mmCIF file of all heavy atoms in Angstrom:
data_model
loop_
_atom_site.group_PDB
_atom_site.id
_atom_site.type_symbol
_atom_site.label_atom_id
_atom_site.label_comp_id
_atom_site.label_asym_id
_atom_site.label_seq_id
_atom_site.Cartn_x
_atom_site.Cartn_y
_atom_site.Cartn_z
ATOM 1 N N LYS A 1 -3.395 -4.905 6.149
ATOM 2 C CA LYS A 1 -4.737 -4.730 5.718
ATOM 3 C C LYS A 1 -5.726 -5.350 6.653
ATOM 4 O O LYS A 1 -6.713 -4.721 7.092
ATOM 5 C CB LYS A 1 -4.934 -5.359 4.324
ATOM 6 C CG LYS A 1 -6.368 -5.167 3.763
ATOM 7 C CD LYS A 1 -6.572 -5.948 2.512
ATOM 8 C CE LYS A 1 -6.843 -7.378 2.765
ATOM 9 N NZ LYS A 1 -7.255 -8.215 1.587
ATOM 10 N N ASN A 2 -5.458 -6.563 7.038
ATOM 11 C CA ASN A 2 -6.367 -7.296 7.985
ATOM 12 C C ASN A 2 -6.524 -6.604 9.278
ATOM 13 O O ASN A 2 -7.590 -6.495 9.835
ATOM 14 C CB ASN A 2 -5.832 -8.755 8.170
ATOM 15 C CG ASN A 2 -5.935 -9.576 6.940
ATOM 16 O OD1 ASN A 2 -6.728 -9.332 6.025
ATOM 17 N ND2 ASN A 2 -5.137 -10.623 6.888
ATOM 18 N N ASP A 3 -5.435 -6.081 9.814
ATOM 19 C CA ASP A 3 -5.512 -5.367 11.117
ATOM 20 C C ASP A 3 -6.091 -3.948 10.984
ATOM 21 O O ASP A 3 -6.746 -3.478 11.908
ATOM 22 C CB ASP A 3 -4.100 -5.311 11.762
ATOM 23 C CG ASP A 3 -3.705 -6.657 12.325
ATOM 24 O OD1 ASP A 3 -4.563 -7.463 12.729
ATOM 25 O OD2 ASP A 3 -2.446 -6.970 12.360
ATOM 26 N N LEU A 4 -5.885 -3.315 9.810
ATOM 27 C CA LEU A 4 -6.565 -2.077 9.585
ATOM 28 C C LEU A 4 -8.075 -2.222 9.505
ATOM 29 O O LEU A 4 -8.827 -1.427 10.066
ATOM 30 C CB LEU A 4 -6.026 -1.360 8.311
ATOM 31 C CG LEU A 4 -4.592 -0.801 8.381
ATOM 32 C CD1 LEU A 4 -4.129 -0.385 6.968
ATOM 33 C CD2 LEU A 4 -4.538 0.378 9.295
ATOM 34 N N ILE A 5 -8.514 -3.241 8.791
ATOM 35 C CA ILE A 5 -9.937 -3.596 8.728
ATOM 36 C C ILE A 5 -10.506 -3.868 10.105
ATOM 37 O O ILE A 5 -11.601 -3.379 10.473
ATOM 38 C CB ILE A 5 -10.176 -4.712 7.749
ATOM 39 C CG1 ILE A 5 -9.836 -4.343 6.296
ATOM 40 C CG2 ILE A 5 -11.625 -5.214 7.820
ATOM 41 C CD1 ILE A 5 -9.814 -5.523 5.359
ATOM 42 N N ALA A 6 -9.779 -4.606 10.883
ATOM 43 C CA ALA A 6 -10.210 -4.950 12.238
ATOM 44 C C ALA A 6 -10.336 -3.689 13.087
ATOM 45 O O ALA A 6 -11.147 -3.626 14.048
ATOM 46 C CB ALA A 6 -9.239 -5.899 12.860
ATOM 47 N N GLY A 7 -9.515 -2.699 12.743
ATOM 48 C CA GLY A 7 -9.522 -1.401 13.513
ATOM 49 C C GLY A 7 -10.569 -0.428 12.974
ATOM 50 O O GLY A 7 -10.610 0.714 13.511
ATOM 51 N N GLY A 8 -11.299 -0.782 11.906
ATOM 52 C CA GLY A 8 -12.391 0.120 11.462
ATOM 53 C C GLY A 8 -12.139 0.793 10.136
ATOM 54 O O GLY A 8 -12.981 1.659 9.734
ATOM 55 N N VAL A 9 -11.035 0.500 9.422
ATOM 56 C CA VAL A 9 -10.826 1.095 8.113
ATOM 57 C C VAL A 9 -11.393 0.229 7.093
ATOM 58 O O VAL A 9 -11.107 -0.979 7.001
ATOM 59 C CB VAL A 9 -9.288 1.292 7.879
ATOM 60 C CG1 VAL A 9 -9.045 1.889 6.431
ATOM 61 C CG2 VAL A 9 -8.593 2.070 8.942
ATOM 62 N N PRO A 10 -12.336 0.748 6.233
ATOM 63 C CA PRO A 10 -12.997 -0.082 5.186
ATOM 64 C C PRO A 10 -12.000 -0.683 4.243
ATOM 65 O O PRO A 10 -11.036 0.012 3.842
ATOM 66 C CB PRO A 10 -13.937 0.883 4.531
ATOM 67 C CG PRO A 10 -14.119 2.005 5.476
ATOM 68 C CD PRO A 10 -12.823 2.119 6.236
ATOM 69 N N GLU A 11 -12.214 -1.921 3.844
ATOM 70 C CA GLU A 11 -11.285 -2.613 2.864
ATOM 71 C C GLU A 11 -11.164 -1.814 1.595
ATOM 72 O O GLU A 11 -10.108 -1.816 1.004
ATOM 73 C CB GLU A 11 -11.802 -3.983 2.589
ATOM 74 C CG GLU A 11 -10.873 -4.820 1.774
ATOM 75 C CD GLU A 11 -11.306 -6.270 1.615
ATOM 76 O OE1 GLU A 11 -12.328 -6.610 2.158
ATOM 77 O OE2 GLU A 11 -10.513 -7.016 0.968
ATOM 78 N N SER A 12 -12.307 -1.161 1.185
ATOM 79 C CA SER A 12 -12.324 -0.481 -0.095
ATOM 80 C C SER A 12 -11.459 0.741 -0.116
ATOM 81 O O SER A 12 -11.136 1.351 -1.121
ATOM 82 C CB SER A 12 -13.771 -0.061 -0.485
ATOM 83 O OG SER A 12 -14.313 0.754 0.512
ATOM 84 N N HIS A 13 -11.003 1.230 1.074
ATOM 85 C CA HIS A 13 -10.180 2.376 1.250
ATOM 86 C C HIS A 13 -8.708 2.021 1.469
ATOM 87 O O HIS A 13 -7.917 2.880 1.746
ATOM 88 C CB HIS A 13 -10.673 3.240 2.365
ATOM 89 C CG HIS A 13 -11.971 3.936 2.046
ATOM 90 N ND1 HIS A 13 -12.412 5.063 2.753
ATOM 91 C CD2 HIS A 13 -12.944 3.648 1.155
ATOM 92 C CE1 HIS A 13 -13.547 5.434 2.240
ATOM 93 N NE2 HIS A 13 -13.924 4.596 1.302
ATOM 94 N N ILE A 14 -8.383 0.699 1.337
ATOM 95 C CA ILE A 14 -7.013 0.253 1.562
ATOM 96 C C ILE A 14 -6.465 -0.254 0.271
ATOM 97 O O ILE A 14 -7.091 -1.119 -0.422
ATOM 98 C CB ILE A 14 -7.005 -0.844 2.636
ATOM 99 C CG1 ILE A 14 -7.616 -0.368 3.951
ATOM 100 C CG2 ILE A 14 -5.558 -1.321 2.859
ATOM 101 C CD1 ILE A 14 -7.805 -1.505 4.966
ATOM 102 N N TYR A 15 -5.279 0.200 -0.068
ATOM 103 C CA TYR A 15 -4.568 -0.189 -1.310
ATOM 104 C C TYR A 15 -3.269 -0.835 -0.936
ATOM 105 O O TYR A 15 -2.465 -0.260 -0.128
ATOM 106 C CB TYR A 15 -4.392 0.971 -2.248
ATOM 107 C CG TYR A 15 -5.696 1.517 -2.767
ATOM 108 C CD1 TYR A 15 -6.458 2.311 -1.984
ATOM 109 C CD2 TYR A 15 -6.124 1.215 -4.066
ATOM 110 C CE1 TYR A 15 -7.683 2.805 -2.459
ATOM 111 C CE2 TYR A 15 -7.324 1.695 -4.520
ATOM 112 C CZ TYR A 15 -8.119 2.471 -3.720
ATOM 113 O OH TYR A 15 -9.314 2.934 -4.224
ATOM 114 N N LEU A 16 -2.979 -2.003 -1.535
ATOM 115 C CA LEU A 16 -1.769 -2.725 -1.129
ATOM 116 C C LEU A 16 -0.682 -2.589 -2.148
ATOM 117 O O LEU A 16 -0.934 -2.826 -3.402
ATOM 118 C CB LEU A 16 -2.128 -4.209 -0.910
ATOM 119 C CG LEU A 16 -3.178 -4.466 0.123
ATOM 120 C CD1 LEU A 16 -3.333 -6.001 0.363
ATOM 121 C CD2 LEU A 16 -2.929 -3.754 1.442
ATOM 122 N N ASP A 17 0.493 -2.290 -1.717
ATOM 123 C CA ASP A 17 1.722 -2.242 -2.557
ATOM 124 C C ASP A 17 2.572 -3.421 -2.132
ATOM 125 O O ASP A 17 3.227 -3.333 -1.098
ATOM 126 C CB ASP A 17 2.422 -0.922 -2.448
ATOM 127 C CG ASP A 17 3.744 -0.871 -3.167
ATOM 128 O OD1 ASP A 17 3.983 -1.752 -3.988
ATOM 129 O OD2 ASP A 17 4.560 0.011 -2.914
ATOM 130 N N TYR A 18 2.625 -4.461 -2.905
ATOM 131 C CA TYR A 18 3.361 -5.660 -2.560
ATOM 132 C C TYR A 18 4.800 -5.585 -2.882
ATOM 133 O O TYR A 18 5.564 -6.515 -2.558
ATOM 134 C CB TYR A 18 2.741 -6.873 -3.271
ATOM 135 C CG TYR A 18 1.318 -7.194 -2.859
ATOM 136 C CD1 TYR A 18 0.266 -6.866 -3.660
ATOM 137 C CD2 TYR A 18 1.105 -7.880 -1.633
ATOM 138 C CE1 TYR A 18 -1.087 -7.221 -3.294
ATOM 139 C CE2 TYR A 18 -0.239 -8.153 -1.261
ATOM 140 C CZ TYR A 18 -1.274 -7.847 -2.104
ATOM 141 O OH TYR A 18 -2.535 -8.146 -1.708
ATOM 142 N N ALA A 19 5.256 -4.477 -3.471
ATOM 143 C CA ALA A 19 6.664 -4.386 -3.886
ATOM 144 C C ALA A 19 7.396 -3.247 -3.183
ATOM 145 O O ALA A 19 8.319 -2.621 -3.714
ATOM 146 C CB ALA A 19 6.759 -4.184 -5.452
ATOM 147 N N GLY A 20 6.989 -2.977 -1.961
ATOM 148 C CA GLY A 20 7.695 -2.002 -1.164
ATOM 149 C C GLY A 20 8.849 -2.611 -0.384
ATOM 150 O O GLY A 20 8.821 -2.670 0.819
ATOM 151 N N PHE A 21 9.791 -3.094 -1.123
ATOM 152 C CA PHE A 21 10.939 -3.834 -0.493
ATOM 153 C C PHE A 21 11.815 -2.913 0.293
ATOM 154 O O PHE A 21 12.489 -3.404 1.236
ATOM 155 C CB PHE A 21 11.764 -4.522 -1.623
ATOM 156 C CG PHE A 21 10.937 -5.427 -2.464
ATOM 157 C CD1 PHE A 21 10.768 -5.171 -3.804
ATOM 158 C CD2 PHE A 21 10.277 -6.507 -1.933
ATOM 159 C CE1 PHE A 21 9.997 -6.031 -4.627
ATOM 160 C CE2 PHE A 21 9.542 -7.392 -2.719
ATOM 161 C CZ PHE A 21 9.384 -7.122 -4.063
ATOM 162 N N ARG A 22 11.914 -1.643 -0.089
ATOM 163 C CA ARG A 22 12.724 -0.645 0.637
ATOM 164 C C ARG A 22 11.927 0.614 0.743
ATOM 165 O O ARG A 22 10.925 0.792 -0.009
ATOM 166 C CB ARG A 22 14.021 -0.364 -0.112
ATOM 167 C CG ARG A 22 14.910 -1.590 -0.340
ATOM 168 C CD ARG A 22 16.112 -1.173 -1.187
ATOM 169 N NE ARG A 22 16.736 0.023 -0.756
ATOM 170 C CZ ARG A 22 17.460 0.864 -1.479
ATOM 171 N NH1 ARG A 22 17.684 0.551 -2.771
ATOM 172 N NH2 ARG A 22 18.038 1.920 -0.973
ATOM 173 N N THR A 23 12.367 1.495 1.581
ATOM 174 C CA THR A 23 11.661 2.767 1.745
ATOM 175 C C THR A 23 11.643 3.582 0.392
ATOM 176 O O THR A 23 10.649 4.152 0.035
ATOM 177 C CB THR A 23 12.317 3.625 2.818
ATOM 178 O OG1 THR A 23 12.399 2.925 4.062
ATOM 179 C CG2 THR A 23 11.573 4.943 3.079
ATOM 180 N N LEU A 24 12.768 3.488 -0.286
ATOM 181 C CA LEU A 24 12.835 4.186 -1.631
ATOM 182 C C LEU A 24 11.755 3.645 -2.573
ATOM 183 O O LEU A 24 11.040 4.376 -3.200
ATOM 184 C CB LEU A 24 14.202 4.005 -2.223
ATOM 185 C CG LEU A 24 14.451 4.662 -3.586
ATOM 186 C CD1 LEU A 24 15.973 5.115 -3.660
ATOM 187 C CD2 LEU A 24 14.171 3.750 -4.687
ATOM 188 N N ASP A 25 11.607 2.292 -2.615
ATOM 189 C CA ASP A 25 10.584 1.705 -3.417
ATOM 190 C C ASP A 25 9.170 2.181 -3.058
ATOM 191 O O ASP A 25 8.340 2.457 -3.909
ATOM 192 C CB ASP A 25 10.653 0.176 -3.310
ATOM 193 C CG ASP A 25 11.989 -0.384 -3.820
ATOM 194 O OD1 ASP A 25 13.007 -0.004 -3.325
ATOM 195 O OD2 ASP A 25 11.967 -1.264 -4.724
ATOM 196 N N SER A 26 8.913 2.237 -1.732
ATOM 197 C CA SER A 26 7.607 2.544 -1.276
ATOM 198 C C SER A 26 7.228 3.988 -1.645
ATOM 199 O O SER A 26 6.137 4.236 -2.148
ATOM 200 C CB SER A 26 7.598 2.455 0.287
ATOM 201 O OG SER A 26 7.715 1.079 0.663
ATOM 202 N N VAL A 27 8.126 4.957 -1.473
ATOM 203 C CA VAL A 27 7.745 6.350 -1.752
ATOM 204 C C VAL A 27 7.621 6.589 -3.266
ATOM 205 O O VAL A 27 6.782 7.282 -3.748
ATOM 206 C CB VAL A 27 8.677 7.349 -1.078
ATOM 207 C CG1 VAL A 27 8.623 7.197 0.404
ATOM 208 C CG2 VAL A 27 10.133 7.212 -1.565
ATOM 209 N N VAL A 28 8.586 5.978 -4.043
ATOM 210 C CA VAL A 28 8.520 6.208 -5.471
ATOM 211 C C VAL A 28 7.258 5.555 -6.109
ATOM 212 O O VAL A 28 6.576 6.115 -6.975
ATOM 213 C CB VAL A 28 9.812 5.658 -6.128
ATOM 214 C CG1 VAL A 28 9.662 5.755 -7.697
ATOM 215 C CG2 VAL A 28 10.976 6.498 -5.687
ATOM 216 N N ARG A 29 6.935 4.326 -5.568
ATOM 217 C CA ARG A 29 5.789 3.635 -6.153
ATOM 218 C C ARG A 29 4.458 4.361 -5.791
ATOM 219 O O ARG A 29 3.487 4.294 -6.474
ATOM 220 C CB ARG A 29 5.770 2.217 -5.694
ATOM 221 C CG ARG A 29 6.849 1.319 -6.373
ATOM 222 C CD ARG A 29 6.904 -0.061 -5.827
ATOM 223 N NE ARG A 29 5.603 -0.753 -5.839
ATOM 224 C CZ ARG A 29 5.098 -1.324 -6.922
ATOM 225 N NH1 ARG A 29 5.827 -1.408 -8.041
ATOM 226 N NH2 ARG A 29 3.911 -1.919 -6.869
ATOM 227 N N ALA A 30 4.441 5.044 -4.594
ATOM 228 C CA ALA A 30 3.265 5.821 -4.294
ATOM 229 C C ALA A 30 2.954 6.847 -5.357
ATOM 230 O O ALA A 30 1.786 7.121 -5.634
ATOM 231 C CB ALA A 30 3.482 6.513 -2.918
ATOM 232 N N LYS A 31 3.988 7.372 -5.961
ATOM 233 C CA LYS A 31 3.813 8.394 -7.038
ATOM 234 C C LYS A 31 3.581 7.675 -8.372
ATOM 235 O O LYS A 31 2.656 7.925 -9.130
ATOM 236 C CB LYS A 31 5.021 9.288 -7.100
ATOM 237 C CG LYS A 31 4.949 10.350 -8.199
ATOM 238 C CD LYS A 31 6.225 11.231 -8.214
ATOM 239 C CE LYS A 31 6.110 12.239 -9.345
ATOM 240 N NZ LYS A 31 7.325 13.098 -9.364
ATOM 241 N N GLU A 32 4.531 6.755 -8.757
ATOM 242 C CA GLU A 32 4.494 6.218 -10.086
ATOM 243 C C GLU A 32 3.423 5.195 -10.326
ATOM 244 O O GLU A 32 2.884 5.100 -11.455
ATOM 245 C CB GLU A 32 5.827 5.565 -10.372
ATOM 246 C CG GLU A 32 7.026 6.597 -10.322
ATOM 247 C CD GLU A 32 6.933 7.701 -11.351
ATOM 248 O OE1 GLU A 32 6.293 7.409 -12.406
ATOM 249 O OE2 GLU A 32 7.407 8.768 -11.105
ATOM 250 N N ILE A 33 3.048 4.451 -9.318
ATOM 251 C CA ILE A 33 1.993 3.402 -9.485
ATOM 252 C C ILE A 33 0.679 3.916 -8.990
ATOM 253 O O ILE A 33 -0.373 3.701 -9.670
ATOM 254 C CB ILE A 33 2.432 2.118 -8.669
ATOM 255 C CG1 ILE A 33 3.746 1.582 -9.190
ATOM 256 C CG2 ILE A 33 1.313 1.021 -8.811
ATOM 257 C CD1 ILE A 33 3.825 1.246 -10.675
ATOM 258 N N PHE A 34 0.653 4.557 -7.864
ATOM 259 C CA PHE A 34 -0.628 5.016 -7.252
ATOM 260 C C PHE A 34 -0.994 6.467 -7.577
ATOM 261 O O PHE A 34 -2.007 6.949 -7.158
ATOM 262 C CB PHE A 34 -0.616 4.736 -5.743
ATOM 263 C CG PHE A 34 -0.566 3.282 -5.404
ATOM 264 C CD1 PHE A 34 0.706 2.684 -5.185
ATOM 265 C CD2 PHE A 34 -1.668 2.541 -5.327
ATOM 266 C CE1 PHE A 34 0.807 1.344 -4.856
ATOM 267 C CE2 PHE A 34 -1.584 1.162 -4.973
ATOM 268 C CZ PHE A 34 -0.361 0.549 -4.785
#
């Protein structure tokens, strides 16, 4: 997030998933949580 903001992406357009422990977790949570 910090480096994306430094690169010009607004903080309000960034969403953090703190439980992406594995690739499977990341893709499933993109659907089920987000």
Side-chain angles (χ1 to χ4, degrees):
K1 182 189 78 171
N2 292 338
D3 285 330
L4 288 171
I5 292 171
V9 181
E11 184 175 5
S12 60
H13 289 201
I14 303 171
Y15 293 78
L16 303 187
D17 174 14
Y18 294 104
F21 304 117
R22 298 175 50 204
T23 304
L24 182 147
D25 297 57
S26 295
V27 296
V28 174
R29 285 176 57 82
K31 179 180 180 181
E32 299 299 331
I33 302 301
F34 295 92

